[in-house]
């Protein structure tokens, strides 16, 4: 029997005991990335939280059918491909590969299915046909719109009511729409854009329909759990519900969970503010284990404020955990008997995780255990030592917070120390200044960017700006 778990369900805005349609099985969908560029650490939060749900449910004994899509047909992709003189689908394929590299470095467990929009066209077209047949969508000049007022439950997830929505939208948006809140299911493609044949002419899908179609293709009409970043709740998830329920005439999903954002202090991470940190850049410097760790030290429904202190604490904790994971291999057991402090750690962590995936709480329990085991290192019984190994394996499998190769994690951290020690300065301090300089440059604050370079030069640190936009440093 799978263990009980309580999940905060955004449909009811309450924490509820999770009940799946088929006992012991979970049909789970998470909205994946748009593959137009390298992903940033905010995207990483959404990915790692999606992975946490997958791992915890599995470790609680559920069979999980987990679908995480790639949005590989999208305006941003078409725009970026044009700039780089690449075919849009080829451009996407390139960044799907880069995304997979990032996900591996974050220690993500593979999803059951990772569909792409470009490979789901027949299902997307069929679903739009079903919605039209059910009189919840209409066609205007090769374009298909969802008829929002025809769907009585619109707004049930985001708690928006249609009247205020209609008034909130500028009326001049699109005169072909019957109602301002209607949204696009299919649009005609412009020349040079990727397009597919459809009953409404050559075109491509609107953004929202892909997730409804992919969910149905791999999970059926009704899902148990759906996840995404909190920004997706409206309109994306609201529209997914409208489309799926209008096409299938039944409930789309029973539990909705959204992760909060990762911010820089009080600022959102965004390209326009120039404070975007790519997963690849962070991982190259600190390793993926540190990023994963930081992302799971805060409950997924709380905002994560990204600061120098948060990064430093992440490094320190990853080091402590992985030193411990290596050290226990040298412990010698003697005698028999059990110790409740050691035996109970897994169930304490499970209790935390069963409370709406509280990874921060579970990690806290593990640190209590780690300190205790270290004090008993010379007095562990055979049973206790076996439990220590089992506990480490639990942390590895349920949260991915212990790497299968602690040696690799420690050696990348010691490289960080070595670089810093050689320079006689703090590596984190240098990286932070480089980030500040990048922000200054993005804001065209050349004076500040120059001052930062000089400040580093004064410490014998030389910066090199690379063609891909990143900056590396060496001792001068
Ligand atoms: P996008 O590529 O913008 O469609 O985003 C992909 C996923 O990353 C979505 O689930 C977003 O909600 C999530 N996301 C984007 N920025 C952040 C952020 N700063 N913090 C947390 N999640 C984010
Ligand atoms: Zn989606």
């Amino acid at each position: 029997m799978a263990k009980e778990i309580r999940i905060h369900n955004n449909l009811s805005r309450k924490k509820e005991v999770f009940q799946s349609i088929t006992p012991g099985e979970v049909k789970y969908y998470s909205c994946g990335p748009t593959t137009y560029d390298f992903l940033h650490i905010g995207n990483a939060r959404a990915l790692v939280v999606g992975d946490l749900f997958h791992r915890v449910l599995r470790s609680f004994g559920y069979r999980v059918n987990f679908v995480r899509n790639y949005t590989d047909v999208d305006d941003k992709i078409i725009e970026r491909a044009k700039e780089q003189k690449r075919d849009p689908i080829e451009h996407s394929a390139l960044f799907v590969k880069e995304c997979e590299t990032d996900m591996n470095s974050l220690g993500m467990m593979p999803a059951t299915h990772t569909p792409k929009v470009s490979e789901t066209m027949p299902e997307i077209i069929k679903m739009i046909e079903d919605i039209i047949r059910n009189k919840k969508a209409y066609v205007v000049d090769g374009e298909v719109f969802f008829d929002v007022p025809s769907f009585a439950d619109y707004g049930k997830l985001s708690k928006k009511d249609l009247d205020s929505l209609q008034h909130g939208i500028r009326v001049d948006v699109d005169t072909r729409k019957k109602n301002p809140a209607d949204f696009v299911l299919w649009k005609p493609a412009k020349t040079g854009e990727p397009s597919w044949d459809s009953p409404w002419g050559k075109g491509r899908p609107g953004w929202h329909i892909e997730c409804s179609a992919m969910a149905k293709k791999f999970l059926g009409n009704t899902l148990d759990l759906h996840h995404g970043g909190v920004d997706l709740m409206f309109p994306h998830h609201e529209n997914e519900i409208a489309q799926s329920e209008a096409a299938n005439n039944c409930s789309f999903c029973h539990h909705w969970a959204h992760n909060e954002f990762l911010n820089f202090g009080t600022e959102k991470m965004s390209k326009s503010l120039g404070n975007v940190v790519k997963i690849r850049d962070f991982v190259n410097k600190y390793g993926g284990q540190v990023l994963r760790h930081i992302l799971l030290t805060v409950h997924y429904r709380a905002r994560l404020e990204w600061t120098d202190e948060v990064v430093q604490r992440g490094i320190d904790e990853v080091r402590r955990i992985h030193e411990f994971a290596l050290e226990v291999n040298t412990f010698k057991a003697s005698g028999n008997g059990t110790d409740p402090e050691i035996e109970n750690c897994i169930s304490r962590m499970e209790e935390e995780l069963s409370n709406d995936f509280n990874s921060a709480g579970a990690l806290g329990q593990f640190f209590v255990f780690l300190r205790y085991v270290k004090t008993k290192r010379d007095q562990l019984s055979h049973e206790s030592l076996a439990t220590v190994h089992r506990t480490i394996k639990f942390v590895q499998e349920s949260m991915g917070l212990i790497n299968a190769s602690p040696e690799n994690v420690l050696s990348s951290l010691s490289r960080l120390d070595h670089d810093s020690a050689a320079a006689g300065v703090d590596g984190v301090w240098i990286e932070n200044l480089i980030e500040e300089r990048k922000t200054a440059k993005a804001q065209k604050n050349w004076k500040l960017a120059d001052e930062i370079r000089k400040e580093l030069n004064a410490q014998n640190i030389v910066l090199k700006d690379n063609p891909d936009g990143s900056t590396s440093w060496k001792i001068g």
Side-chain angles (χ1 to χ4, degrees):
M1 258 262 292
K3 286 194 183 66
E4 182 176 289
I5 182 162
R6 282 158 295 141
I7 304 179
H8 181 95
N9 184 356
N10 268 328
L11 262 184
S12 63
R13 298 286 202 266
K14 285 197 193 95
K15 211 183 276 183
E16 294 172 358
V17 172
F18 174 72
Q19 252 146 5
S20 58
I21 301 158
T22 310
E25 266 181 47
V26 183
K27 301 185 214 321
Y28 167 35
Y29 189 95
S30 176
C31 292
T34 307
T35 47
Y36 69 104
D37 199 348
F38 284 96
L39 299 181
H40 56 67
I41 55 175
N43 304 132
R45 185 172 196 199
L47 289 170
V48 168
V49 167
D51 181 62
L52 174 74
F53 293 1
H54 185 202
R55 282 174 177 268
V56 170
L57 289 168
R58 278 175 61 134
S59 95
F60 277 23
Y62 290 95
R63 274 192 309 280
V64 186
N65 189 351
F66 177 27
V67 179
R68 190 192 47 243
N69 70 301
Y70 287 111
T71 299
D72 69 338
V73 177
D74 170 84
D75 290 342
K76 277 186 277 192
I77 297 170
I78 294 171
E79 208 176 289
R80 196 59 67 86
K82 204 183 274 173
E83 276 166 29
Q84 306 196 356
K85 301 196 174 19
R86 260 193 217 116
D87 170 72
I89 300 292
E90 207 180 289
H91 183 84
S92 284
L94 209 72
F95 282 102
V96 167
K97 282 252 169 323
E98 299 295 1
C99 188
E100 282 168 354
T101 306
D102 287 341
M103 289 200 243
N104 285 338
S105 70
L106 288 169
M108 293 187 40
M109 195 175 261
T112 323
H113 303 282
T114 51
K116 301 186 184 103
V117 183
S118 62
E119 294 165 1
T120 318
M121 280 313 154
E123 292 82 1
I124 289 174
I125 290 169
K126 162 82 172 57
M127 191 171 237
I128 298 175
E129 287 178 319
D130 290 346
I131 301 172
I132 295 174
R133 191 173 323 111
N134 288 340
K135 305 206 170 4
K136 300 232 170 346
Y138 55 96
V139 187
V140 188
D141 302 334
E143 193 147 0
V144 186
F145 292 101
F146 189 92
D147 185 353
V148 170
S150 74
F151 181 69
D153 273 348
Y154 197 79
K156 70 175 167 184
L157 175 66
S158 57
K159 314 297 173 208
K160 292 184 190 289
D161 76 87
L162 191 57
D163 275 350
S164 55
L165 259 178
Q166 301 275 44
H167 285 111
I169 296 172
R170 287 204 327 264
V171 189
D172 61 332
V173 177
D174 191 337
T175 48
R176 291 163 312 155
K177 282 191 197 177
K178 285 207 252 173
N179 315 283
D182 295 352
F183 58 91
V184 173
L185 298 176
W186 187 266
K187 53 186 168 191
K190 301 196 187 88
T191 34
E193 288 183 358
S195 65
W196 288 263
D197 288 326
S198 83
W200 320 285
K202 267 194 174 312
R204 61 188 168 97
W207 170 32
H208 315 294
I209 190 72
E210 66 185 64
C211 289
S212 287
M214 292 185 205
K216 182 178 167 110
K217 181 172 180 181
F218 295 101
L219 302 172
N221 286 352
T222 306
L223 323 184
D224 296 304
L225 177 63
H226 194 310
H227 158 257
V230 68
D231 56 321
L232 300 184
M233 194 188 307
F234 186 84
H236 183 56
H237 290 163
E238 199 64 64
N239 292 353
E240 280 186 37
I241 295 174
Q243 294 159 160
S244 296
E245 298 193 354
N248 304 328
N249 300 311
C250 61
S251 163
F252 174 45
C253 179
H254 292 160
H255 297 81
W256 287 84
H258 297 92
N259 64 274
E260 250 303 341
F261 256 50
L262 178 155
N263 291 329
F264 279 87
T266 51
E267 278 182 346
K268 215 183 130 182
M269 191 169 62
S270 82
K271 290 231 161 64
S272 55
L273 290 170
N275 59 4
V276 172
V277 178
K278 288 181 191 155
I279 297 175
R280 189 66 55 86
D281 292 342
F282 187 90
V283 167
N284 283 344
K285 275 150 203 164
Y286 305 101
Q289 195 65 46
V290 175
L291 180 50
R292 180 178 184 94
H293 185 94
I294 296 170
L295 297 172
L296 294 182
T297 49
V298 174
H299 188 266
Y300 75 91
R301 297 187 62 232
R303 284 211 187 106
L304 170 56
E305 305 292 346
W306 191 265
T307 61
D308 300 350
E309 291 74 33
V310 164
V311 174
Q312 191 55 56
R313 206 184 63 214
I315 294 171
D316 294 344
E317 291 188 355
V318 166
R319 193 190 312 266
R320 272 176 68 203
I321 291 175
H322 289 83
E323 279 172 356
F324 176 73
L326 268 190
E327 212 183 341
V328 296
N329 295 325
T330 66
F331 291 178
K332 300 262 179 304
S334 60
N336 298 308
T338 56
D339 177 341
E341 283 306 308
I342 293 176
E343 294 306 315
N344 292 343
C345 182
I346 293 180
S347 60
R348 285 180 186 147
M349 287 194 281
E350 281 178 343
E351 180 57 32
E352 297 286 356
L353 292 172
S354 73
N355 182 12
D356 199 18
F357 303 103
N358 187 0
S359 54
L363 185 65
Q365 295 291 350
F366 184 70
F367 272 117
V368 171
F369 167 87
L370 181 155
R371 275 192 292 274
Y372 182 80
V373 170
K374 283 180 100 151
T375 63
K376 300 277 170 187
R377 55 178 298 160
D378 300 322
Q379 310 151 46
L380 294 171
S381 67
H382 290 284
E383 287 89 343
S384 289
L385 190 54
T387 306
V388 170
H389 286 291
R390 222 159 24 87
T391 309
I392 287 176
K393 203 165 165 47
F394 178 83
V395 175
Q396 212 167 58
E397 288 174 356
S398 65
M399 295 183 280
L401 287 178
I402 298 181
N403 196 281
S405 168
E407 296 89 343
N408 287 351
V409 172
L410 291 170
S411 86
S412 69
L413 290 179
S414 74
R415 193 156 21 90
L416 198 65
D417 289 344
H418 175 77
D419 291 350
S420 313
V425 286
D426 179 351
V428 176
W429 175 76
I430 298 175
E431 298 302 344
N432 288 332
L433 277 180
I434 289 177
E435 278 310 316
E436 268 178 46
R437 178 170 167 267
K438 195 169 148 194
T439 308
K441 281 177 32 174
Q443 292 169 344
K444 303 203 183 339
N445 187 346
W446 311 118
K447 186 162 169 283
L448 178 60
D450 217 42
E451 274 165 17
I452 294 172
R453 178 189 279 274
K454 282 189 191 139
E455 187 180 348
L456 286 164
N457 283 352
Q459 299 294 330
N460 205 24
I461 307 298
V462 181
L463 300 186
K464 181 170 170 281
D465 291 321
N466 303 313
D468 67 355
S470 66
T471 302
S472 38
W473 61 272
K474 64 182 175 74
I475 304 147

